[in-house]
Amino acid sequence: MILDSLTLTPDHDIPAPLLTELTALYASNRDFHALSGDFPDPDDIRPEQVAAALADELLVPEAEVLLARSEGRLVGIAVTLAHHPDPVDPDPWIGLLMVDATAHGRGFGRQLAALVEDRFRTAGRTAVRLAVLDNNPRALDFWTALGYETLGYGRDRRLDRACTVLRRPLTPPPASSPGADGA
């Protein structure tokens, strides 16, 4: 899996072919969008809606949209925040992690989560947080299976939906011991 940052055109638009791919990925996750209420009609997600949703994400300081590809195909997206808007929160956040529904069950979600964690770990971060909507038990099961633990309960900032806040410590990669490389 290859992970790249979303690159906009000079006019700050998503390139048309990529927007087509992103719209297909979003549309494939009809059940999630029905739960989240992020789109007016989860059965009719349009490119301009996806572009607007991603533009809103990128308005947040230090937000990043990451695109995951496998064998050239867009299989997932992650939106991350280097710093939460709440200044007392020390951890970076995963705001969204979504895998094309036609590729569910193939390990792409786990791979994408691990790559996002690695990016934070490399940046010297020691933990990561996220929020799962309380009406989405499949997502809660996914994240807890990856080792995320419940930190608390609250409401999301954008739409005031009930959610569970999860956190996972990011252990540093093992340091190589002297002489371990055969020297």
Side-chain angles (χ1 to χ4, degrees), residues 103-123:
H104 284 181
R106 295 178 40 199
F108 291 129
R110 287 178 180 274
Q111 289 177 31
L112 180 51
L115 289 171
V116 169
E117 290 170 358
D118 286 346
R119 289 173 70 91
F120 286 136
R121 191 177 290 110
T122 299

Side-chain angles (χ1 to χ4, degrees), residues 74-144:
L74 182 68
V75 295
I77 184 171
V79 178
T80 64
L81 298 170
H83 295 95
H84 191 272
D86 183 347
V88 300
D89 183 343
D91 299 323
W93 280 67
I94 299 173
L96 173 72
L97 189 140
M98 184 169 34
V99 171
D100 188 310
T102 64
H104 284 181
R106 295 178 40 199
F108 291 129
R110 287 178 180 274
Q111 289 177 31
L112 180 51
L115 289 171
V116 169
E117 290 170 358
D118 286 346
R119 289 173 70 91
F120 286 136
R121 191 177 290 110
T122 299
R125 307 309 290 270
T126 59
V128 62
R129 294 184 194 200
L130 55 89
V132 174
L133 296 176
D134 285 353
N135 65 352
N136 193 351
R138 287 182 59 208
L140 186 60
D141 290 345
F142 170 79
W143 291 108
T144 56

Side-chain angles (χ1 to χ4, degrees), residues 7-8 11 19 21 30 36 51 55 64 66 77 92 97 107 117 123 127 132 136 142 151 158 168 175 178 181:
T7 303
L8 302 176
D11 293 330
L19 184 56
E21 287 182 290
R30 185 238 173 258
S36 72
E64 187 173 27
L66 302 169
I77 184 171
L97 189 140
E117 290 170 358
V132 174
N136 193 351
F142 170 79
L151 190 62
R158 212 171 38 140
R168 180 172 185 206
D181 61 357

Side-chain angles (χ1 to χ4, degrees), residues 13-38:
D13 294 323
I14 298 171
L18 177 57
L19 184 56
T20 299
E21 287 182 290
L22 286 163
T23 301
L25 185 146
Y26 273 71
S28 76
N29 283 279
R30 185 238 173 258
D31 292 345
F32 169 73
H33 295 298
L35 292 172
S36 72
D38 289 335

